[in-house]
Amino acid sequence: KAGVTQTPRYLIKTRGQQVTLSCSPISGHRSVSWYQQTPGQGLQFLFEYFSETQRNKGNFPGRFSGRQFSNSRSEMNVSTLELGDSALYLCASSSAGTGDREAFFGQGTRLTVV
Amino acid sequence: AQSVTQPDIHITVSEGASLELRCNYSYGATPYLFWYVQSPGQGLQLLLKYFSGDTLVQGIKGFEAEFKRSQSSFNLRKPSVHWSDAAEYFCAVKAAGNKLTFGGGTRVLVKP
């Protein structure tokens, strides 16, 4: 069974640009969550999508957005990039909505904003 | 709101020695608890999880963890570490939906 796939693995963008990251969850998983990891703030929850609906959202500005498609693949978008958005962005998939289900993580997308 | 504390930022251990990583959580309901490991530049790999039942849980790579409700702790242990165990370890609690709240992580260095 294939794991969680995130593309691209690395990105370099300029301040003010926008970026789209992609995540393909494990086959059959309907929940996709996104996390930002930085040395200063650690791992922070961005948002979760379940069956194409955003179900939970972390404390990030509106420049961070996401969506989920009918095949459960998810994208997150960051507009008007700032230097502080440089981070490892991790996607996690789970098989069900809640309860005793573990999350499986992808390898992440390393975003560098210059 | 839930929170997770990993008191030790760094731990250095000799190869073959035992390892214990501490994790304390704050959560109002019955917690779902996890330990993940991350190698440099990589994603998170699940080591083990606690949902209910037996408070001593076994995971992959020879790791185990014990849930102690009275102490709000979920400490990770390994009897004998290998050089390949050098990595960063994260404790996490699951709250609403599938949102995970992570501790700050503990970086483990293994001396030969």
Side-chain angles (χ1 to χ4, degrees):
Chain A
K1 202 177 207 184
V4 180
T5 303
Q6 291 188 246
T7 57
R9 288 293 310 277
Y10 303 93
L11 268 177
I12 300 175
K13 290 288 188 178
T14 304
R15 268 184 307 172
Q17 287 186 316
Q18 74 163 7
V19 67
T20 299
L21 313 182
S22 179
C23 172
S24 293
I26 292 171
S27 178
H29 284 193
R30 294 163 60 195
S31 169
V32 174
S33 299
W34 289 89
Y35 294 83
Q36 181 196 65
Q37 185 178 25
T38 59
Q41 299 299 317
L43 281 153
Q44 294 186 287
F45 173 78
L46 280 156
F47 31 65
E48 180 204 1
Y49 285 86
F50 182 75
S51 295
E52 301 179 65
T53 301
Q54 186 181 89
R55 185 164 61 174
N56 218 338
K57 191 177 187 305
N59 295 324
F60 279 82
R63 300 185 297 107
F64 291 81
S65 62
R67 59 178 174 168
Q68 187 180 34
F69 302 95
S70 58
N71 62 357
S72 294
R73 189 177 71 86
S74 177
E75 289 180 347
M76 67 163 281
N77 183 275
V78 188
S79 62
T80 320
L81 283 165
E82 301 177 359
L83 295 179
D85 297 332
S86 295
L88 181 66
Y89 289 89
L90 293 165
C91 165
S93 79
S94 296
S95 61
T98 60
D100 54 348
R101 297 291 185 270
E102 57 265 59
F104 297 92
F105 283 80
Q107 297 284 60
T109 294
R110 170 73 63 184
L111 172 64
T112 302
V113 183
V114 299
Chain B
Q2 64 280 357
S3 65
V4 178
T5 302
Q6 293 180 243
D8 304 304
I9 298 174
H10 293 102
I11 284 183
T12 300
V13 60
S14 296
E15 192 168 15
S18 63
L19 174 68
E20 181 168 13
L21 304 182
R22 296 182 290 164
C23 171
N24 292 98
Y25 68 91
S26 173
Y27 185 55
T30 301
Y32 298 125
L33 295 160
F34 306 85
W35 274 99
Y36 285 89
V37 61
Q38 185 179 38
S39 297
Q42 301 298 311
L44 300 173
Q45 181 182 22
L46 179 68
L47 284 175
L48 46 77
K49 58 188 182 285
Y50 173 77
F51 292 149
S52 64
D54 193 347
T55 57
L56 184 63
V57 294
Q58 303 297 320
I60 63 171
K61 303 185 179 187
F63 285 93
E64 66 177 27
E66 186 171 13
F67 170 60
K68 293 185 177 180
R69 185 185 299 275
S70 62
Q71 299 176 20
S72 298
S73 69
F74 188 55
N75 294 348
L76 181 71
R77 298 191 292 256
K78 185 169 184 177
S80 176
V81 299
H82 185 261
W83 63 266
S84 60
D85 293 323
E88 191 156 20
Y89 293 78
F90 293 92
C91 181
V93 62
K94 182 194 276 194
N98 282 313
K99 175 185 175 182
L100 288 167
T101 298
F102 288 90
T106 298
R107 187 172 298 278
V108 174
L109 304 175
V110 181
K111 293 191 301 184

